[in-house]
Amino acid sequence: MASEPQDLNAFLGTKRRPWWRRNLRWIGVALVVVVLGLLVSRCFAPKPPPNYITVGAEKGALAVTVSATGRLAPIRQVTVGSEISGLVLKVLVDVNDRVTEGQPIAIIDPSRLDDTITQSRATLSANQAAVAQAKATVDESTAQLRRMEEVSRLSGGKVPAKTELDTARAAVARAVANLRSAEANVVSAQASLSSNQTQRFKSIIRSPVNGVVLARQVDAGQTVAAQFSTPNMFVIAQDLTHMKLEVAIDEADVGSVKVGLPASFTVDAFPGRTFPAQITRVDLGSNLTASTATTSATSSTTTANQVVSYAAVLSVANPDLTLRPGMTATATIGVEKLDNALLIPNGALRFTPQDAGAKSGGGGIQFGPRREEQQKAIGRGSKQAVYVVGKDGKPQKVEVVTGPSDGSRTAVTSAQLKPGMKVIVGVQANGPAKPAKDDQD
């Protein structure tokens, strides 16, 4: 009877189906069960321990610097103008010319001033003649009074009459007053002549200092008008072999910037070259600037993002005249330097053990939180916690006291942390642990 199906299939001429096709439904069910089992086992499996990124604490030198930007300028820069109005006849110097103190550099038409001087001299001569006439009148009136007084003495006071004597005395007094008035007119005329001569002297524009002409803002044939303000004609730098660099120090850094600190700076015109400088002044007053935002609907202006900075001046030697006024410079001020200090990366101060659990689920390397994510106070002298990998593979807390920082490394002191110990700066989610050379933010 068992052979009947086979005989029937042979009789009908059909092939027997393979076993896996006859049991395909049960095979699919088994595969689904296996996949579900794998997924459940993976979900409930313990998470692998995180792999920490470590950097060794080391002894070394630390240079703390402050960066600031500014512009180069002459130590003394003079703007030369004209105190009188008139037509510019000649311009005697040009840009980059060296000038000496008192050297003529431009001439304004003096013809009108010469006429004024001639008139003043004529007035002075007339007043001097008036003085001579007044003196003669005084002498005449005085002689007449003396004769009348002599006659009165000889006649026993009978002649001349008393009224005649009073009139003669009054004439002498008037003559003396007229003489004094004429002398005052002479002094006034002399002052007017001197003023006009001074104006004539000022028609020749002279350099007030020894230096170099940086700018010429006038040409021959141009008319200058000095009625309301002094027109600027030249800009002269006294000495370009010694210059100054004016920079703006950020509010957060000004407390560590002192007079006498060494500095260096670079300019775009000479890439790769560093120039020495020294702090000579730090202003007590601040320069407060603010960015403004305008609302179009109401046309109102609100002030936000106020920036406070303090001006500082650095002295710069420029013996070969390589540097030029107006160049933009980036200065690096050496605030502090430590030798043989215990140094750790700043990432170690920002790392906390919670970062390992929060960031171990993804791939790649994860470091401590960014500065904008965690505003952790790491001021000088503050007590902070860093972590090293313990014998059990878990982070072990170590107390440190922070010192100065150069932005990537911080000097610390600690009774527990020793040179060579590996501090944790981040977590590597997948793959073997790797040492980190620098703090990565």
Side-chain angles (χ1 to χ4, degrees):
M1 294 299 293
S3 61
E4 289 181 0
Q6 296 179 356
D7 295 340
L8 181 60
N9 290 334
F11 177 78
L12 296 175
T14 59
K15 295 183 179 180
R16 180 181 177 86
R17 290 187 303 170
W19 66 272
W20 60 270
R21 293 191 64 179
R22 295 195 305 269
N23 301 304
L24 183 61
R25 181 175 56 183
W26 299 107
I27 293 175
V29 172
L31 289 176
V32 171
V33 172
V34 171
V35 170
L36 290 176
L38 291 175
L39 291 176
V40 171
S41 63
R42 183 163 184 175
C43 292
F44 289 96
K47 295 182 179 180
N51 296 317
Y52 296 104
I53 310 300
T54 60
V55 175
E58 60 180 359
K59 288 278 188 177
L62 180 70
V64 183
T65 60
V66 171
S67 296
T69 58
R71 292 184 179 275
L72 288 165
I75 294 179
R76 184 183 178 191
Q77 180 173 302
V78 181
T79 300
V80 182
S82 174
E83 296 184 32
I84 65 173
S85 303
L87 179 68
V88 179
L89 287 183
K90 294 181 180 179
V91 177
L92 305 177
V93 296
D94 205 347
V95 177
N96 295 338
D97 287 351
R98 291 186 175 274
V99 295
T100 58
E101 183 177 355
Q103 175 183 339
I105 55 179
I107 299 176
I108 296 178
D109 185 10
S111 57
R112 180 175 54 84
L113 299 174
D114 290 340
D115 294 340
T116 305
I117 291 174
T118 301
Q119 182 179 0
S120 297
R121 283 175 177 166
T123 302
L124 176 60
S125 298
N127 289 332
Q128 289 173 341
V131 169
Q133 291 179 353
K135 286 182 178 180
T137 303
V138 169
D139 293 341
E140 180 182 4
S141 300
T142 302
Q144 181 68 20
L145 176 60
R146 286 175 182 174
R147 284 195 301 269
M148 295 179 69
E149 289 176 343
E150 181 64 19
V151 172
S152 177
R153 185 182 65 80
L154 294 176
S155 65
K158 295 181 180 180
V159 291
K162 185 178 182 302
T163 56
E164 293 179 351
L165 287 174
D166 292 340
T167 300
R169 291 188 180 100
V172 171
R174 283 194 298 270
V176 172
N178 290 334
L179 174 61
R180 291 176 179 174
S181 177
E183 291 174 343
N185 290 336
V186 168
V187 174
S188 177
Q190 288 174 339
S192 178
L193 176 60
S194 177
S195 176
N196 292 330
Q197 289 174 336
T198 301
Q199 292 291 95
R200 175 64 173 82
F201 178 81
K202 291 180 179 179
S203 66
I204 301 177
I205 310 300
R206 292 174 170 83
S207 173
V209 295
N210 298 328
V212 179
V213 179
L214 296 183
R216 177 176 64 86
Q217 301 170 352
V218 68
D219 293 315
Q222 181 177 344
T223 301
V224 295
Q227 286 86 356
F228 303 102
S229 62
T230 301
N232 297 331
M233 302 176 67
F234 300 93
V235 178
I236 300 177
Q238 184 175 12
D239 184 10
L240 294 182
T241 59
H242 294 86
M243 302 179 67
K244 63 181 178 180
L245 174 58
E246 300 172 335
V247 299
I249 306 297
D250 189 78
E251 178 185 10
D253 300 324
V254 71
S256 57
V257 177
K258 309 295 181 183
V259 173
L261 290 177
S264 61
F265 66 93
T266 58
V267 293
D268 294 338
F270 303 98
R273 183 174 176 181
T274 302
F275 299 89
Q278 188 177 28
I279 296 288
T280 57
R281 190 185 77 196
V282 180
D283 290 354
L284 297 177
S286 64
N287 299 323
L288 179 61
T289 59
S291 59
T292 58
T294 303
T295 304
S296 59
T298 60
S299 299
S300 62
T301 302
T302 57
T303 301
N305 300 326
Q306 292 184 340
V307 178
V308 179
S309 62
Y310 293 81
V313 178
L314 290 74
S315 62
V316 178
N318 187 31
D320 54 357
L321 301 181
T322 301
L323 301 172
R324 302 185 181 186
M327 284 185 171
T328 302
T330 301
T332 301
I333 304 170
V335 175
E336 188 175 357
K337 185 175 182 180
L338 300 179
D339 296 323
N340 199 30
L342 182 60
L343 305 176
I344 62 173
N346 288 355
L349 295 169
R350 294 190 294 270
F351 176 81
T352 57
Q354 290 81 1
D355 302 328
K359 300 188 177 183
S360 62
I365 298 176
Q366 301 288 346
F367 290 91
R370 298 179 181 273
R371 291 183 177 90
E372 60 270 19
E373 296 173 356
Q374 178 187 9
Q375 296 296 331
K376 186 177 181 181
I378 312 179
R380 179 182 296 195
S382 63
K383 292 183 178 180
Q384 303 291 334
V386 298
Y387 294 86
V388 298
V389 180
K391 296 181 178 179
D392 56 356
K394 296 182 179 180
Q396 181 179 348
K397 183 177 180 181
V398 176
E399 296 287 343
V400 298
V401 177
T402 58
S405 173
D406 64 357
S408 61
R409 300 180 301 169
T410 299
V412 298
T413 56
S414 174
Q416 301 173 331
L417 187 64
K418 305 298 179 183
M421 295 181 66
K422 303 293 186 179
V423 294
I424 302 175
V425 297
V427 180
Q428 183 177 358
N430 295 322
K434 295 182 180 180
K437 294 183 179 180
D438 298 316
D439 170 32
Q440 302 185 29
D441 199 9

